Amino acid sequence: MSLDEIKIIQLPRILDERGNLSFLEENNHIPFTIRRTYWIYDVPGGETRGGHSYKTNQEFIIALSGSFDIVFNDGKTTRTYSLNRSYYGLYVPAGLWRHMDNFSTNSLAFIVASTDYNESDYIRDFKRYEENK
Ligand code: TYD
């Protein structure tokens, strides 16, 4: 899988004096069917999460609050995406090594996933990832 398949996707924004609203629909704004969501919060300063790749799981990651970086490494190139708006998300195809860092205070990472949680879908060893990609 190539880093070029990662996509920043802008979600609809319904601007309103009462407060703004955004939304996403499966197979419309994001290119997969939603199976699961999870969120990462209360991250202490300087911590790193998500150092792994998935064999089949695709994800869409939104900074619902605050900001953080998602860093990809395909063994040759490192590419960093910073998320800091609740109406932008990052589409992450399967098969890419990534980690998340640089979390701001009170940041909230909301992740929409295409598969159930399944530990056997993870590759947690970078060497193994490089050998299998
Ligand atoms: P994990 O995805 O391994 O996070 P990180 O790569 O940042 O360490 O998730 C941490 C633990 O949380 C994992 O061992 C099992 C549990 N977990 C679930 O039970 N369901 C889920 O949907 C997720 C994402 C994690």
Side-chain angles (χ1 to χ4, degrees):
M1 200 49 79
S2 152
L3 295 183
D4 293 336
E5 290 176 62
I6 301 164
K7 263 194 301 198
I8 290 264
I9 295 174
Q10 181 166 3
L11 298 170
R13 296 167 74 194
I14 314 296
L15 302 180
D16 192 307
E17 287 169 359
R18 300 168 301 160
N20 301 332
L21 182 154
S22 288
F23 60 93
L24 66 85
E25 294 166 351
E26 59 184 3
N27 300 313
N28 181 3
H29 307 98
I30 59 169
F32 59 82
T33 300
I34 298 168
R35 183 72 200 181
R36 172 173 57 112
T37 66
Y38 62 94
W39 44 101
I40 297 171
Y41 52 98
D42 293 346
V43 179
E47 277 297 344
T48 295
R49 299 246 20 172
H52 55 69
S53 84
Y54 296 113
K55 294 177 197 163
T56 63
N57 185 42
Q58 305 167 63
E59 292 193 329
F60 185 68
I61 304 173
I62 309 171
L64 281 189
S65 179
S67 61
F68 52 84
D69 293 344
I70 306 163
V71 183
F72 295 88
N73 181 359
D74 67 1
K76 287 196 201 112
T77 311
T78 298
R79 193 180 294 175
T80 301
Y81 291 86
S82 296
L83 293 180
N84 56 13
R85 291 281 183 271
S86 59
Y87 51 86
Y88 279 108
L90 192 69
Y91 169 66
V92 182
L96 295 177
W97 186 274
R98 95 293 298 278
H99 73 264
M100 299 163 75
D101 65 14
N102 206 18
F103 288 89
S104 68
T105 305
N106 289 329
S107 59
L108 170 58
F110 183 68
I111 297 109
V112 178
S114 69
T115 67
D116 286 334
Y117 172 76
N118 176 5
E119 185 57 37
S120 67
D121 195 49
Y122 282 70
I123 298 179
R124 294 189 182 274
D125 178 62
F126 188 69
K127 261 196 178 156
R128 219 184 112 220
Y129 162 74
E130 282 203 291
E131 285 160 11
N132 287 287
K133 72 179 163 57

